[in-house]
Amino acid sequence: MNRLLLATLCAISLPVTAQQKTPADAILDEFKHHPEHIMVAAHRASHNKYPENSLAAVKEAVEQGIDIVEIDLHETKDHILVLMHDETITRTTGKPGKVRDYTYHELQQFPLLFKGKPTTETIPSFEQVLKITKGRIIVDVDFKEESEPAARQAFAQIAAHGMEEQVLFFIYDHHTAPTLYSWNPEIPVMPRAHSVAEIAEIQQMAAKQGKFPVIHGDASFYSDSLVKSITTGGTRVWMNALGKYDKLESEKDDAGFDQLRKDAAFANVIQTDYPEKLLAYLRRKGLHK
């Protein structure tokens, strides 16, 4: 082959390889291979500038360079999965009723509120969020429904977008994990542990079916030895700054995050209502990339 032609073809092909690497790839590499770095999760997306669980709040988390965006899923009357924390829409839209009382189209008529005032944001679908987050950020799905068809639909949508590796599927009852993995073993499940005993059950379960990438723990039963036994095996430990620690942080810079680090030193995923502040804090401490 003509050398000039070969060089031209190589020059053309190189950017294609480079394009295969996305911001999400870099985050996943940190998540999997750098447990010494603490990952930041934005609770209900970055909702300090925009309505919680809105597309704008999700986009803001991406723009801020946050590692994980946490969203909540409910199902509409016509079986569309949408972002909403509460079972009702009253707090976030000012309208009466539950999410399941309305069709998706009907919900689009209600602006989301921010600090009590209507915005141009409306309740987004899970499909919309998957489209704007693909290749950009890890998505933590806090699944609020108890319907198996709804859960299967969520799994199907994740797979349809090729985002199996990029999503964490959060569950409150770790006993449901085997069922979820039987649907699609490529979608990581994050179980919630409410006690030391449940940690032991989850670890036994992991020994049989493969480890969980992260376990959601609690500062109330945290101990360094317990968490080290988890992280040594390559599993991350998720803790919330929500409530006590975020309140301290809102009153004085670094106070809440310093206290959480004292109480749960080896937790290496932290969910907060102040993700941008936490990210800056961790970088100052050399605890984030």
Side-chain angles (χ1 to χ4, degrees):
M1 183 181 290
N2 181 286
R3 286 186 178 182
L4 180 59
L5 177 59
L6 180 61
T8 302
L9 288 173
C10 289
I12 293 171
S13 65
L14 284 174
V16 175
T17 302
Q19 288 172 5
Q20 291 172 352
K21 294 296 182 182
T22 67
D25 291 326
I27 295 171
L28 286 165
D29 182 70
E30 287 286 312
F31 187 88
K32 294 176 181 178
H33 304 299
H34 293 280
E36 74 278 10
H37 291 165
I38 299 174
M39 313 297 283
V40 178
H43 182 229
R44 303 183 198 174
S46 294
H47 61 265
N48 292 314
K49 294 182 181 178
Y50 303 99
E52 66 178 57
N53 276 313
S54 66
L55 287 182
V58 172
K59 291 175 183 176
E60 180 69 11
V62 172
E63 293 302 317
Q64 289 177 354
I66 306 304
D67 304 301
I68 304 167
V69 60
E70 187 262 356
I71 60 171
D72 305 280
L73 290 189
H74 273 289
E75 187 180 28
T76 66
K77 186 177 182 178
D78 53 344
H79 308 296
I80 303 297
L81 295 175
V82 296
L83 273 64
M84 182 65 60
H85 177 271
D86 303 350
E87 188 176 14
T88 68
I89 64 171
T90 307
R91 181 178 60 85
T92 52
T93 70
K95 304 299 180 181
K98 299 178 179 180
V99 176
R100 68 173 65 95
D101 293 336
Y102 298 91
T103 65
Y104 176 69
H105 177 73
E106 289 169 339
L107 289 175
Q108 296 311 291
Q109 313 309 309
F110 307 145
L112 287 170
L113 304 178
F114 182 66
K115 296 183 178 179
K117 296 181 179 180
T119 68
T120 57
E121 294 290 311
T122 55
I123 299 169
S125 69
F126 186 40
E127 184 82 15
Q128 287 176 303
V129 170
L130 290 173
K131 286 179 179 178
I132 66 170
T133 56
K134 182 176 174 64
R136 305 179 75 188
I137 194 170
I138 294 175
V139 181
D140 169 37
V141 176
D142 188 339
F143 194 73
K144 299 294 188 182
E145 294 289 339
E146 296 182 359
S147 157
E148 181 176 315
R152 284 185 178 274
Q153 182 188 166
F155 266 53
Q157 287 180 262
I158 293 164
H161 285 273
M163 292 176 64
E164 292 95 334
E165 191 178 24
Q166 201 183 318
V167 170
L168 296 172
F169 203 83
F170 175 57
I171 56 173
Y172 295 89
D173 181 0
H174 60 279
H175 296 102
T176 63
T179 298
L180 296 175
Y181 275 129
S182 73
W183 297 348
N184 189 333
E186 301 303 316
I187 296 177
V189 171
M190 175 170 64
R192 177 72 160 94
H194 302 85
S195 64
V196 174
E198 287 193 4
I199 289 285
E201 288 181 9
I202 291 168
Q203 288 178 311
Q204 289 173 0
M205 189 179 291
K208 294 179 181 179
Q209 66 178 40
K211 68 182 182 184
F212 296 100
V214 56
I215 296 173
H216 191 312
D218 196 298
S220 65
F221 62 85
Y222 176 96
S223 73
D224 288 351
S225 59
L226 175 68
V227 171
K228 282 183 178 180
S229 75
I230 299 169
T231 56
T232 300
T235 296
R236 282 184 174 267
V237 173
W238 177 301
M239 293 284 180
N240 283 338
L242 312 175
K244 170 185 173 181
Y245 301 105
D246 273 351
K247 185 176 185 296
L248 284 172
E249 189 64 28
S250 69
E251 295 168 350
K252 183 181 179 182
D253 286 349
D254 294 354
F257 299 148
D258 279 343
Q259 188 61 52
L260 179 57
R261 289 286 297 147
K262 289 178 182 177
D263 293 347
F266 294 97
N268 54 10
V269 181
I270 297 175
Q271 179 176 223
T272 176
D273 283 325
Y274 302 104
E276 191 172 19
K277 288 185 67 176
L278 177 58
L279 184 63
Y281 169 90
L282 293 173
R283 284 176 172 167
R284 290 198 307 273
K285 302 286 186 180
L287 296 170
H288 197 281
K289 64 182 184 298

